Amino acid sequence: MFGLIATLALFTLHFQTGRAACECGYIDSQGHVWREALVANFTQSAGALAALKKDWQISNWDIPQGSNKVIRYTPNNVFQHNDALGIKVSAYSGSGPVNSGEITTLRSDIKYGTFRMRAVVPTVPGVVFGFFTYISETQEQDIEFLSSDPNYYQTVHYTNQPGLINGDVDPAATRDVVVPGADFTAYGEHRIDWLPTASKYFYNRAQTASITKNVPTTSSSIILNVWSNGDSLFSKGPPKADSIATVQWVQLYFNSTTLAEPAFKTACKNAGNIPKCII
Protein backbone atom coordinates (compact mmCIF):
# COMPACT_ATOMS: atom_id res chain seq x y z
CA MET A 1 0.00 0.00 0.00
CA PHE A 2 2.81 2.42 0.87
CA GLY A 3 4.39 1.79 -2.55
CA LEU A 4 1.11 2.67 -4.26
CA ILE A 5 0.71 5.83 -2.18
CA ALA A 6 4.29 6.87 -2.94
CA THR A 7 3.78 6.24 -6.65
CA LEU A 8 0.58 8.30 -6.67
CA ALA A 9 2.32 11.08 -4.78
CA LEU A 10 5.14 11.21 -7.31
CA PHE A 11 2.62 11.17 -10.13
CA THR A 12 0.70 14.06 -8.57
CA LEU A 13 3.95 16.02 -8.10
CA HIS A 14 4.96 15.59 -11.74
CA PHE A 15 1.49 16.37 -13.02
CA GLN A 16 1.11 19.52 -10.96
CA THR A 17 4.61 20.98 -11.16
CA GLY A 18 5.54 19.84 -14.66
CA ARG A 19 8.97 20.21 -16.17
CA ALA A 20 9.97 23.26 -14.11
CA ALA A 21 10.53 21.02 -11.07
CA CYS A 22 12.56 18.48 -13.03
CA GLU A 23 14.98 20.52 -15.14
CA CYS A 24 17.73 18.01 -14.38
CA GLY A 25 15.66 15.13 -15.70
CA TYR A 26 14.01 11.98 -14.43
CA ILE A 27 15.78 8.90 -13.12
CA ASP A 28 14.10 5.50 -13.26
CA SER A 29 14.60 2.35 -11.21
CA GLN A 30 17.13 1.06 -13.74
CA GLY A 31 19.30 4.17 -13.34
CA HIS A 32 18.44 5.61 -16.74
CA VAL A 33 18.11 9.39 -16.91
CA TRP A 34 15.50 10.92 -19.22
CA ARG A 35 15.43 14.58 -20.14
CA GLU A 36 11.74 15.19 -20.81
CA ALA A 37 8.27 14.04 -19.79
CA LEU A 38 4.70 14.00 -21.04
CA VAL A 39 2.23 12.99 -18.34
CA ALA A 40 -1.52 12.69 -18.94
CA ASN A 41 -3.77 12.13 -15.92
CA PHE A 42 -7.15 11.03 -17.26
CA THR A 43 -8.68 10.96 -13.78
CA GLN A 44 -8.22 14.72 -13.26
CA SER A 45 -11.19 16.83 -12.23
CA ALA A 46 -11.24 18.62 -15.60
CA GLY A 47 -11.94 15.29 -17.30
CA ALA A 48 -10.11 12.81 -19.50
CA LEU A 49 -10.54 14.66 -22.78
CA ALA A 50 -9.12 17.85 -21.28
CA ALA A 51 -5.97 15.89 -20.40
CA LEU A 52 -5.44 15.13 -24.10
CA LYS A 53 -5.56 18.69 -25.38
CA LYS A 54 -1.97 19.77 -24.77
CA ASP A 55 0.10 16.82 -25.99
CA TRP A 56 -2.18 14.39 -27.85
CA GLN A 57 -4.40 14.21 -30.90
CA ILE A 58 -7.40 11.97 -31.52
CA SER A 59 -7.20 10.13 -34.82
CA ASN A 60 -9.85 10.69 -37.47
CA TRP A 61 -9.19 8.66 -40.61
CA ASP A 62 -9.76 5.38 -42.44
CA ILE A 63 -7.11 2.71 -42.86
CA PRO A 64 -7.82 0.22 -45.69
CA GLN A 65 -6.99 -3.38 -44.75
CA GLY A 66 -6.84 -5.20 -48.06
CA SER A 67 -9.26 -8.12 -47.96
CA ASN A 68 -10.20 -7.35 -44.35
CA LYS A 69 -12.58 -4.65 -43.14
CA VAL A 70 -11.57 -0.98 -43.15
CA ILE A 71 -10.52 0.42 -39.78
CA ARG A 72 -12.21 3.78 -39.21
CA TYR A 73 -10.66 5.81 -36.39
CA THR A 74 -13.32 8.23 -35.19
CA PRO A 75 -13.12 10.85 -32.41
CA ASN A 76 -16.42 9.56 -31.01
CA ASN A 77 -14.60 6.41 -29.89
CA VAL A 78 -12.30 8.30 -27.52
CA PHE A 79 -14.37 9.47 -24.56
CA GLN A 80 -14.81 10.02 -20.85
CA HIS A 81 -15.44 6.61 -19.26
CA ASN A 82 -15.66 5.58 -15.59
CA ASP A 83 -13.60 8.58 -14.38
CA ALA A 84 -10.87 7.74 -16.92
CA LEU A 85 -10.28 7.66 -20.67
CA GLY A 86 -12.23 5.16 -22.75
CA ILE A 87 -11.00 3.98 -26.16
CA LYS A 88 -13.27 1.57 -27.97
CA VAL A 89 -14.31 -0.38 -31.00
CA SER A 90 -18.04 0.05 -31.53
CA ALA A 91 -20.41 -2.88 -31.84
CA TYR A 92 -20.24 -3.84 -35.50
CA SER A 93 -23.33 -3.20 -37.59
CA GLY A 94 -22.54 -6.01 -40.02
CA SER A 95 -21.34 -3.88 -42.92
CA GLY A 96 -18.95 -1.01 -43.67
CA PRO A 97 -15.85 0.14 -41.77
CA VAL A 98 -15.20 -0.83 -38.17
CA ASN A 99 -15.41 2.23 -35.92
CA SER A 100 -12.31 2.25 -33.72
CA GLY A 101 -10.44 4.66 -31.42
CA GLU A 102 -6.89 6.00 -31.28
CA ILE A 103 -4.78 8.72 -29.68
CA THR A 104 -1.23 9.68 -30.66
CA THR A 105 1.30 12.13 -29.29
CA LEU A 106 1.63 15.40 -31.17
CA ARG A 107 5.38 14.92 -30.91
CA SER A 108 7.21 12.50 -33.18
CA ASP A 109 10.71 13.44 -31.98
CA ILE A 110 10.77 10.94 -29.10
CA LYS A 111 13.88 8.73 -29.15
CA TYR A 112 14.42 6.29 -26.28
CA GLY A 113 12.59 6.40 -23.00
CA THR A 114 10.31 4.61 -20.57
CA PHE A 115 6.64 4.66 -21.53
CA ARG A 116 3.95 3.62 -19.08
CA MET A 117 0.17 3.36 -18.94
CA ARG A 118 -2.22 2.23 -16.24
CA ALA A 119 -5.12 0.55 -17.94
CA VAL A 120 -7.82 -2.13 -18.07
CA VAL A 121 -8.02 -4.25 -21.24
CA PRO A 122 -11.19 -4.75 -23.31
CA THR A 123 -13.24 -7.81 -22.40
CA VAL A 124 -15.55 -8.13 -25.42
CA PRO A 125 -13.90 -10.49 -27.96
CA GLY A 126 -12.76 -9.30 -31.37
CA VAL A 127 -10.40 -6.34 -30.84
CA VAL A 128 -6.75 -5.40 -30.41
CA PHE A 129 -5.67 -2.93 -27.71
CA GLY A 130 -2.27 -1.44 -28.52
CA PHE A 131 0.27 0.72 -26.70
CA PHE A 132 3.34 1.33 -28.85
CA THR A 133 5.99 3.54 -30.39
CA TYR A 134 5.61 4.19 -34.10
CA ILE A 135 7.10 6.03 -37.03
CA SER A 136 6.87 3.32 -39.72
CA GLU A 137 6.02 -0.34 -40.17
CA THR A 138 9.67 -1.26 -39.57
CA GLN A 139 10.32 1.23 -36.74
CA GLU A 140 7.75 0.16 -34.17
CA GLN A 141 7.65 -1.62 -30.81
CA ASP A 142 4.31 -2.94 -29.60
CA ILE A 143 2.41 -4.01 -26.54
CA GLU A 144 -0.81 -5.62 -27.76
CA PHE A 145 -3.72 -7.34 -26.05
CA LEU A 146 -6.12 -9.52 -28.07
CA SER A 147 -9.54 -9.76 -26.48
CA SER A 148 -10.21 -13.02 -28.35
CA ASP A 149 -7.25 -14.77 -26.71
CA PRO A 150 -8.52 -17.64 -24.51
CA ASN A 151 -6.58 -16.20 -21.55
CA TYR A 152 -6.88 -12.56 -22.68
CA TYR A 153 -6.85 -11.36 -19.06
CA GLN A 154 -3.21 -12.42 -18.59
CA THR A 155 -1.83 -12.73 -22.14
CA VAL A 156 0.20 -9.96 -23.77
CA HIS A 157 1.96 -9.81 -27.12
CA TYR A 158 5.24 -7.92 -27.52
CA THR A 159 6.69 -7.22 -30.97
CA ASN A 160 9.54 -5.23 -32.44
CA GLN A 161 8.38 -4.77 -36.01
CA PRO A 162 8.69 -6.33 -38.47
CA GLY A 163 7.49 -9.35 -36.55
CA LEU A 164 7.34 -11.62 -39.59
CA ILE A 165 9.87 -13.22 -41.92
CA ASN A 166 8.42 -14.41 -45.23
CA GLY A 167 4.97 -14.45 -43.65
CA ASP A 168 6.03 -16.47 -40.60
CA VAL A 169 6.37 -15.20 -37.05
CA ASP A 170 9.94 -14.18 -36.22
CA PRO A 171 10.59 -15.64 -32.75
CA ALA A 172 13.55 -13.30 -32.24
CA ALA A 173 11.34 -10.22 -32.68
CA THR A 174 8.18 -11.36 -30.86
CA ARG A 175 7.19 -12.60 -27.44
CA ASP A 176 3.75 -13.97 -26.53
CA VAL A 177 3.70 -13.90 -22.74
CA VAL A 178 1.26 -15.31 -20.22
CA VAL A 179 1.80 -13.56 -16.89
CA PRO A 180 0.93 -16.04 -14.11
CA GLY A 181 -1.55 -14.65 -11.62
CA ALA A 182 -2.14 -11.45 -13.61
CA ASP A 183 -5.58 -9.97 -14.19
CA PHE A 184 -5.47 -7.36 -16.94
CA THR A 185 -9.20 -6.69 -16.41
CA ALA A 186 -8.12 -4.86 -13.24
CA TYR A 187 -5.99 -1.73 -13.45
CA GLY A 188 -2.30 -2.46 -13.94
CA GLU A 189 0.80 -0.72 -15.28
CA HIS A 190 2.12 -1.77 -18.68
CA ARG A 191 5.47 -0.42 -19.80
CA ILE A 192 7.99 -0.24 -22.62
CA ASP A 193 11.60 0.74 -21.95
CA TRP A 194 13.10 1.72 -25.31
CA LEU A 195 16.88 1.54 -25.01
CA PRO A 196 19.50 1.70 -27.79
CA THR A 197 20.21 -2.05 -27.58
CA ALA A 198 16.91 -3.53 -26.40
CA SER A 199 13.19 -3.08 -25.96
CA LYS A 200 12.27 -4.18 -22.44
CA TYR A 201 8.68 -4.86 -21.45
CA PHE A 202 7.14 -4.77 -17.97
CA TYR A 203 3.91 -5.45 -16.11
CA ASN A 204 3.47 -3.78 -12.72
CA ARG A 205 7.19 -2.95 -12.71
CA ALA A 206 8.31 -6.56 -13.16
CA GLN A 207 10.12 -7.27 -16.44
CA THR A 208 8.23 -9.75 -18.61
CA ALA A 209 10.31 -9.71 -21.82
CA SER A 210 13.33 -8.26 -23.59
CA ILE A 211 13.77 -8.09 -27.36
CA THR A 212 17.09 -7.11 -28.93
CA LYS A 213 16.12 -7.60 -32.58
CA ASN A 214 14.57 -4.77 -34.62
CA VAL A 215 15.02 -2.20 -31.85
CA PRO A 216 13.88 1.11 -33.41
CA THR A 217 16.55 3.68 -34.20
CA THR A 218 14.34 6.53 -35.45
CA SER A 219 12.48 9.14 -33.42
CA SER A 220 8.81 8.25 -33.07
CA SER A 221 5.37 9.00 -31.69
CA ILE A 222 3.56 7.11 -28.94
CA ILE A 223 0.14 5.64 -29.77
CA LEU A 224 -2.72 3.98 -27.91
CA ASN A 225 -5.51 2.40 -29.92
CA VAL A 226 -8.32 -0.15 -29.93
CA TRP A 227 -9.16 -1.58 -33.33
CA SER A 228 -10.52 -4.50 -35.32
CA ASN A 229 -10.50 -5.43 -38.98
CA GLY A 230 -12.12 -8.85 -38.73
CA ASP A 231 -8.88 -10.71 -39.50
CA SER A 232 -9.62 -14.31 -38.47
CA LEU A 233 -5.94 -14.88 -37.59
CA PHE A 234 -5.39 -11.85 -35.37
CA SER A 235 -8.01 -9.35 -34.22
CA LYS A 236 -10.95 -11.63 -35.06
CA GLY A 237 -14.34 -9.96 -34.60
CA PRO A 238 -15.43 -7.29 -35.21
CA PRO A 239 -17.09 -7.25 -31.80
CA LYS A 240 -20.82 -7.71 -31.33
CA ALA A 241 -20.88 -5.15 -28.52
CA ASP A 242 -18.75 -2.11 -27.69
CA SER A 243 -15.27 -3.30 -26.64
CA ILE A 244 -13.59 -0.72 -24.40
CA ALA A 245 -10.11 -0.17 -22.98
CA THR A 246 -10.00 2.13 -19.97
CA VAL A 247 -6.87 4.18 -19.26
CA GLN A 248 -6.24 6.08 -16.02
CA TRP A 249 -2.94 7.64 -17.01
CA VAL A 250 -0.02 7.65 -19.41
CA GLN A 251 3.49 8.65 -18.29
CA LEU A 252 6.19 9.15 -20.91
CA TYR A 253 9.77 9.90 -19.81
CA PHE A 254 12.17 10.20 -22.70
CA ASN A 255 14.93 11.81 -24.69
CA SER A 256 14.22 13.56 -27.94
CA THR A 257 15.94 14.77 -31.06
CA THR A 258 14.76 18.29 -30.16
CA LEU A 259 16.41 18.71 -26.75
CA ALA A 260 20.06 17.79 -27.24
CA GLU A 261 22.28 16.87 -24.29
CA PRO A 262 24.25 20.19 -24.21
CA ALA A 263 21.02 22.22 -24.02
CA PHE A 264 19.67 19.86 -21.35
CA LYS A 265 22.83 20.24 -19.25
CA THR A 266 22.66 24.02 -19.56
CA ALA A 267 19.03 24.06 -18.43
CA CYS A 268 19.93 21.86 -15.46
CA LYS A 269 22.81 24.14 -14.51
CA ASN A 270 20.59 27.22 -14.79
CA ALA A 271 18.10 25.51 -12.47
CA GLY A 272 20.82 25.08 -9.86
CA ASN A 273 21.66 21.44 -10.61
CA ILE A 274 18.63 20.34 -8.62
CA PRO A 275 18.14 16.60 -7.89
CA LYS A 276 16.67 14.45 -10.62
CA CYS A 277 13.02 13.53 -10.22
CA ILE A 278 12.59 9.87 -9.25
CA ILE A 279 10.11 7.87 -11.33
Side-chain angles (χ1 to χ4, degrees), residues 167-197:
D168 296 322
V169 172
D170 180 357
T174 61
R175 299 287 188 277
D176 299 329
V177 177
V178 175
V179 183
D183 181 5
F184 298 159
T185 67
Y187 279 112
E189 181 185 295
H190 302 275
R191 168 176 151 198
I192 304 169
D193 280 8
W194 177 16
L195 307 174
T197 59

mmCIF file of all heavy atoms in Angstrom, residues 167-197:
data_model
loop_
_atom_site.group_PDB
_atom_site.id
_atom_site.type_symbol
_atom_site.label_atom_id
_atom_site.label_comp_id
_atom_site.label_asym_id
_atom_site.label_seq_id
_atom_site.Cartn_x
_atom_site.Cartn_y
_atom_site.Cartn_z
ATOM 1 N N GLY A 167 6.321 -14.099 -44.062
ATOM 2 C CA GLY A 167 4.974 -14.451 -43.654
ATOM 3 C C GLY A 167 4.888 -15.273 -42.389
ATOM 4 O O GLY A 167 3.783 -15.529 -41.892
ATOM 5 N N ASP A 168 6.014 -15.685 -41.837
ATOM 6 C CA ASP A 168 6.029 -16.473 -40.604
ATOM 7 C C ASP A 168 6.487 -15.621 -39.428
ATOM 8 O O ASP A 168 7.302 -14.705 -39.591
ATOM 9 C CB ASP A 168 6.955 -17.683 -40.750
ATOM 10 C CG ASP A 168 6.484 -18.657 -41.816
ATOM 11 O OD1 ASP A 168 5.248 -18.853 -41.921
ATOM 12 O OD2 ASP A 168 7.333 -19.200 -42.537
ATOM 13 N N VAL A 169 5.980 -15.937 -38.254
ATOM 14 C CA VAL A 169 6.370 -15.202 -37.047
ATOM 15 C C VAL A 169 7.869 -15.335 -36.810
ATOM 16 O O VAL A 169 8.442 -16.428 -36.901
ATOM 17 C CB VAL A 169 5.596 -15.722 -35.829
ATOM 18 C CG1 VAL A 169 6.130 -15.102 -34.539
ATOM 19 C CG2 VAL A 169 4.107 -15.420 -35.968
ATOM 20 N N ASP A 170 8.509 -14.199 -36.535
ATOM 21 C CA ASP A 170 9.938 -14.182 -36.219
ATOM 22 C C ASP A 170 10.091 -14.307 -34.705
ATOM 23 O O ASP A 170 9.825 -13.348 -33.968
ATOM 24 C CB ASP A 170 10.552 -12.877 -36.722
ATOM 25 C CG ASP A 170 12.041 -12.783 -36.438
ATOM 26 O OD1 ASP A 170 12.592 -13.699 -35.799
ATOM 27 O OD2 ASP A 170 12.662 -11.780 -36.869
ATOM 28 N N PRO A 171 10.515 -15.459 -34.205
ATOM 29 C CA PRO A 171 10.594 -15.639 -32.750
ATOM 30 C C PRO A 171 11.613 -14.726 -32.075
ATOM 31 O O PRO A 171 11.516 -14.491 -30.863
ATOM 32 C CB PRO A 171 10.983 -17.117 -32.602
ATOM 33 C CG PRO A 171 11.643 -17.480 -33.898
ATOM 34 C CD PRO A 171 10.945 -16.661 -34.943
ATOM 35 N N ALA A 172 12.564 -14.198 -32.835
ATOM 36 C CA ALA A 172 13.551 -13.297 -32.244
ATOM 37 C C ALA A 172 13.003 -11.885 -32.053
ATOM 38 O O ALA A 172 13.567 -11.100 -31.290
ATOM 39 C CB ALA A 172 14.802 -13.251 -33.112
ATOM 40 N N ALA A 173 11.898 -11.571 -32.737
ATOM 41 C CA ALA A 173 11.338 -10.216 -32.677
ATOM 42 C C ALA A 173 9.995 -10.167 -31.966
ATOM 43 O O ALA A 173 9.396 -9.088 -31.849
ATOM 44 C CB ALA A 173 11.186 -9.647 -34.086
ATOM 45 N N THR A 174 9.496 -11.303 -31.497
ATOM 46 C CA THR A 174 8.184 -11.356 -30.859
ATOM 47 C C THR A 174 8.254 -12.161 -29.565
ATOM 48 O O THR A 174 9.078 -13.070 -29.421
ATOM 49 C CB THR A 174 7.137 -12.004 -31.781
ATOM 50 O OG1 THR A 174 7.546 -13.351 -32.067
ATOM 51 C CG2 THR A 174 6.996 -11.238 -33.081
ATOM 52 N N ARG A 175 7.369 -11.817 -28.646
ATOM 53 C CA ARG A 175 7.186 -12.597 -27.437
ATOM 54 C C ARG A 175 5.689 -12.622 -27.121
ATOM 55 O O ARG A 175 5.061 -11.572 -26.992
ATOM 56 C CB ARG A 175 7.924 -11.991 -26.238
ATOM 57 C CG ARG A 175 9.415 -11.877 -26.386
ATOM 58 C CD ARG A 175 10.142 -13.201 -26.283
ATOM 59 N NE ARG A 175 11.581 -12.990 -26.246
ATOM 60 C CZ ARG A 175 12.349 -12.817 -27.330
ATOM 61 N NH1 ARG A 175 11.809 -12.840 -28.531
ATOM 62 N NH2 ARG A 175 13.658 -12.624 -27.198
ATOM 63 N N ASP A 176 5.126 -13.808 -26.992
ATOM 64 C CA ASP A 176 3.751 -13.973 -26.527
ATOM 65 C C ASP A 176 3.846 -14.471 -25.088
ATOM 66 O O ASP A 176 4.305 -15.592 -24.842
ATOM 67 C CB ASP A 176 2.989 -14.967 -27.398
ATOM 68 C CG ASP A 176 2.894 -14.509 -28.848
ATOM 69 O OD1 ASP A 176 2.853 -13.281 -29.073
ATOM 70 O OD2 ASP A 176 2.865 -15.370 -29.740
ATOM 71 N N VAL A 177 3.424 -13.642 -24.148
ATOM 72 C CA VAL A 177 3.698 -13.895 -22.739
ATOM 73 C C VAL A 177 2.395 -14.063 -21.966
ATOM 74 O O VAL A 177 1.486 -13.228 -22.064
ATOM 75 C CB VAL A 177 4.518 -12.739 -22.131
ATOM 76 C CG1 VAL A 177 4.734 -12.956 -20.639
ATOM 77 C CG2 VAL A 177 5.857 -12.598 -22.857
ATOM 78 N N VAL A 178 2.311 -15.143 -21.207
ATOM 79 C CA VAL A 178 1.255 -15.310 -20.215
ATOM 80 C C VAL A 178 1.862 -14.981 -18.853
ATOM 81 O O VAL A 178 2.863 -15.581 -18.448
ATOM 82 C CB VAL A 178 0.692 -16.743 -20.224
ATOM 83 C CG1 VAL A 178 -0.322 -16.916 -19.100
ATOM 84 C CG2 VAL A 178 0.066 -17.059 -21.580
ATOM 85 N N VAL A 179 1.281 -14.005 -18.178
ATOM 86 C CA VAL A 179 1.799 -13.558 -16.892
ATOM 87 C C VAL A 179 1.033 -14.289 -15.786
ATOM 88 O O VAL A 179 -0.148 -13.995 -15.547
ATOM 89 C CB VAL A 179 1.653 -12.037 -16.722
ATOM 90 C CG1 VAL A 179 2.259 -11.586 -15.395
ATOM 91 C CG2 VAL A 179 2.310 -11.289 -17.887
ATOM 92 N N PRO A 180 1.647 -15.257 -15.129
ATOM 93 C CA PRO A 180 0.935 -16.039 -14.109
ATOM 94 C C PRO A 180 0.358 -15.148 -13.010
ATOM 95 O O PRO A 180 1.025 -14.260 -12.495
ATOM 96 C CB PRO A 180 2.016 -16.970 -13.545
ATOM 97 C CG PRO A 180 3.060 -17.041 -14.625
ATOM 98 C CD PRO A 180 3.052 -15.687 -15.273
ATOM 99 N N GLY A 181 -0.904 -15.382 -12.698
ATOM 100 C CA GLY A 181 -1.549 -14.645 -11.620
ATOM 101 C C GLY A 181 -2.021 -13.256 -11.989
ATOM 102 O O GLY A 181 -2.658 -12.586 -11.171
ATOM 103 N N ALA A 182 -1.730 -12.805 -13.209
ATOM 104 C CA ALA A 182 -2.139 -11.455 -13.611
ATOM 105 C C ALA A 182 -3.636 -11.407 -13.903
ATOM 106 O O ALA A 182 -4.258 -12.420 -14.225
ATOM 107 C CB ALA A 182 -1.362 -11.014 -14.847
ATOM 108 N N ASP A 183 -4.197 -10.218 -13.789
ATOM 109 C CA ASP A 183 -5.576 -9.965 -14.194
ATOM 110 C C ASP A 183 -5.626 -8.604 -14.869
ATOM 111 O O ASP A 183 -5.745 -7.578 -14.206
ATOM 112 C CB ASP A 183 -6.522 -10.010 -13.002
ATOM 113 C CG ASP A 183 -7.976 -9.779 -13.413
ATOM 114 O OD1 ASP A 183 -8.250 -9.687 -14.630
ATOM 115 O OD2 ASP A 183 -8.840 -9.676 -12.517
ATOM 116 N N PHE A 184 -5.499 -8.615 -16.194
ATOM 117 C CA PHE A 184 -5.473 -7.359 -16.945
ATOM 118 C C PHE A 184 -6.834 -6.678 -16.991
ATOM 119 O O PHE A 184 -6.943 -5.559 -17.494
ATOM 120 C CB PHE A 184 -4.984 -7.605 -18.376
ATOM 121 C CG PHE A 184 -3.580 -8.147 -18.478
ATOM 122 C CD1 PHE A 184 -3.177 -8.818 -19.633
ATOM 123 C CD2 PHE A 184 -2.668 -8.006 -17.452
ATOM 124 C CE1 PHE A 184 -1.888 -9.322 -19.759
ATOM 125 C CE2 PHE A 184 -1.375 -8.507 -17.555
ATOM 126 C CZ PHE A 184 -0.991 -9.171 -18.718
ATOM 127 N N THR A 185 -7.893 -7.346 -16.479
ATOM 128 C CA THR A 185 -9.199 -6.690 -16.406
ATOM 129 C C THR A 185 -9.303 -5.804 -15.161
ATOM 130 O O THR A 185 -10.321 -5.146 -14.955
ATOM 131 C CB THR A 185 -10.340 -7.709 -16.412
ATOM 132 O OG1 THR A 185 -10.306 -8.487 -15.209
ATOM 133 C CG2 THR A 185 -10.235 -8.630 -17.616
ATOM 134 N N ALA A 186 -8.271 -5.830 -14.326
ATOM 135 C CA ALA A 186 -8.118 -4.859 -13.235
ATOM 136 C C ALA A 186 -7.006 -3.894 -13.634
ATOM 137 O O ALA A 186 -6.142 -4.219 -14.456
ATOM 138 C CB ALA A 186 -7.771 -5.569 -11.929
ATOM 139 N N TYR A 187 -7.002 -2.705 -13.081
ATOM 140 C CA TYR A 187 -5.988 -1.725 -13.450
ATOM 141 C C TYR A 187 -4.587 -2.248 -13.143
ATOM 142 O O TYR A 187 -4.323 -2.793 -12.073
ATOM 143 C CB TYR A 187 -6.213 -0.406 -12.720
ATOM 144 C CG TYR A 187 -7.274 0.463 -13.358
ATOM 145 C CD1 TYR A 187 -8.475 0.704 -12.702
ATOM 146 C CD2 TYR A 187 -7.068 1.026 -14.608
ATOM 147 C CE1 TYR A 187 -9.460 1.501 -13.282
ATOM 148 C CE2 TYR A 187 -8.051 1.814 -15.206
ATOM 149 C CZ TYR A 187 -9.237 2.051 -14.540
ATOM 150 O OH TYR A 187 -10.201 2.829 -15.122
ATOM 151 N N GLY A 188 -3.697 -2.093 -14.100
ATOM 152 C CA GLY A 188 -2.303 -2.455 -13.938
ATOM 153 C C GLY A 188 -1.442 -1.575 -14.829
ATOM 154 O O GLY A 188 -1.934 -0.937 -15.769
ATOM 155 N N GLU A 189 -0.136 -1.548 -14.521
ATOM 156 C CA GLU A 189 0.799 -0.717 -15.284
ATOM 157 C C GLU A 189 1.516 -1.569 -16.328
ATOM 158 O O GLU A 189 2.130 -2.581 -16.011
ATOM 159 C CB GLU A 189 1.831 -0.087 -14.355
ATOM 160 C CG GLU A 189 2.833 0.815 -15.091
ATOM 161 C CD GLU A 189 3.926 1.348 -14.177
ATOM 162 O OE1 GLU A 189 3.586 2.116 -13.255
ATOM 163 O OE2 GLU A 189 5.098 0.977 -14.379
ATOM 164 N N HIS A 190 1.436 -1.127 -17.564
ATOM 165 C CA HIS A 190 2.122 -1.769 -18.678
ATOM 166 C C HIS A 190 3.157 -0.787 -19.219
ATOM 167 O O HIS A 190 2.884 0.403 -19.361
ATOM 168 C CB HIS A 190 1.114 -2.166 -19.759
ATOM 169 C CG HIS A 190 0.045 -3.087 -19.250
ATOM 170 N ND1 HIS A 190 0.212 -4.444 -19.181
ATOM 171 C CD2 HIS A 190 -1.198 -2.830 -18.754
ATOM 172 C CE1 HIS A 190 -0.878 -4.999 -18.675
ATOM 173 N NE2 HIS A 190 -1.753 -4.036 -18.399
ATOM 174 N N ARG A 191 4.335 -1.320 -19.562
ATOM 175 C CA ARG A 191 5.471 -0.416 -19.798
ATOM 176 C C ARG A 191 6.406 -0.942 -20.886
ATOM 177 O O ARG A 191 6.671 -2.144 -20.981
ATOM 178 C CB ARG A 191 6.217 -0.268 -18.484
ATOM 179 C CG ARG A 191 7.572 0.386 -18.530
ATOM 180 C CD ARG A 191 8.085 0.506 -17.116
ATOM 181 N NE ARG A 191 9.542 0.466 -17.005
ATOM 182 C CZ ARG A 191 10.199 0.206 -15.881
ATOM 183 N NH1 ARG A 191 9.531 -0.051 -14.762
ATOM 184 N NH2 ARG A 191 11.512 0.184 -15.871
ATOM 185 N N ILE A 192 6.913 0.000 -21.669
ATOM 186 C CA ILE A 192 7.991 -0.243 -22.624
ATOM 187 C C ILE A 192 9.181 0.609 -22.202
ATOM 188 O O ILE A 192 9.043 1.819 -22.007
ATOM 189 C CB ILE A 192 7.603 0.182 -24.055
ATOM 190 C CG1 ILE A 192 6.326 -0.499 -24.521
ATOM 191 C CG2 ILE A 192 8.754 -0.086 -25.030
ATOM 192 C CD1 ILE A 192 5.768 0.098 -25.817
ATOM 193 N N ASP A 193 10.353 -0.011 -22.071
ATOM 194 C CA ASP A 193 11.601 0.738 -21.953
ATOM 195 C C ASP A 193 12.332 0.606 -23.282
ATOM 196 O O ASP A 193 12.792 -0.492 -23.642
ATOM 197 C CB ASP A 193 12.474 0.183 -20.824
ATOM 198 C CG ASP A 193 12.034 0.666 -19.450
ATOM 199 O OD1 ASP A 193 10.973 1.313 -19.348
ATOM 200 O OD2 ASP A 193 12.746 0.372 -18.464
ATOM 201 N N TRP A 194 12.424 1.699 -24.009
ATOM 202 C CA TRP A 194 13.099 1.722 -25.306
ATOM 203 C C TRP A 194 14.527 2.182 -25.086
ATOM 204 O O TRP A 194 14.774 3.359 -24.781
ATOM 205 C CB TRP A 194 12.350 2.646 -26.255
ATOM 206 C CG TRP A 194 12.961 2.842 -27.607
ATOM 207 C CD1 TRP A 194 13.935 2.090 -28.217
ATOM 208 C CD2 TRP A 194 12.626 3.872 -28.539
ATOM 209 N NE1 TRP A 194 14.223 2.579 -29.463
ATOM 210 C CE2 TRP A 194 13.436 3.676 -29.688
ATOM 211 C CE3 TRP A 194 11.723 4.938 -28.526
ATOM 212 C CZ2 TRP A 194 13.361 4.518 -30.800
ATOM 213 C CZ3 TRP A 194 11.648 5.768 -29.630
ATOM 214 C CH2 TRP A 194 12.460 5.548 -30.758
ATOM 215 N N LEU A 195 15.464 1.266 -25.193
ATOM 216 C CA LEU A 195 16.881 1.536 -25.014
ATOM 217 C C LEU A 195 17.599 1.343 -26.349
ATOM 218 O O LEU A 195 17.061 0.708 -27.266
ATOM 219 C CB LEU A 195 17.461 0.587 -23.958
ATOM 220 C CG LEU A 195 16.719 0.560 -22.612
ATOM 221 C CD1 LEU A 195 17.301 -0.521 -21.711
ATOM 222 C CD2 LEU A 195 16.758 1.918 -21.939
ATOM 223 N N PRO A 196 18.805 1.841 -26.500
ATOM 224 C CA PRO A 196 19.502 1.700 -27.789
ATOM 225 C C PRO A 196 19.739 0.242 -28.200
ATOM 226 O O PRO A 196 19.776 -0.057 -29.396
ATOM 227 C CB PRO A 196 20.826 2.424 -27.551
ATOM 228 C CG PRO A 196 20.522 3.440 -26.498
ATOM 229 C CD PRO A 196 19.537 2.760 -25.588
ATOM 230 N N THR A 197 19.870 -0.659 -27.246
ATOM 231 C CA THR A 197 20.208 -2.051 -27.577
ATOM 232 C C THR A 197 19.091 -3.043 -27.307
ATOM 233 O O THR A 197 19.230 -4.223 -27.632
ATOM 234 C CB THR A 197 21.449 -2.502 -26.784
ATOM 235 O OG1 THR A 197 21.172 -2.367 -25.374
ATOM 236 C CG2 THR A 197 22.657 -1.656 -27.149
#
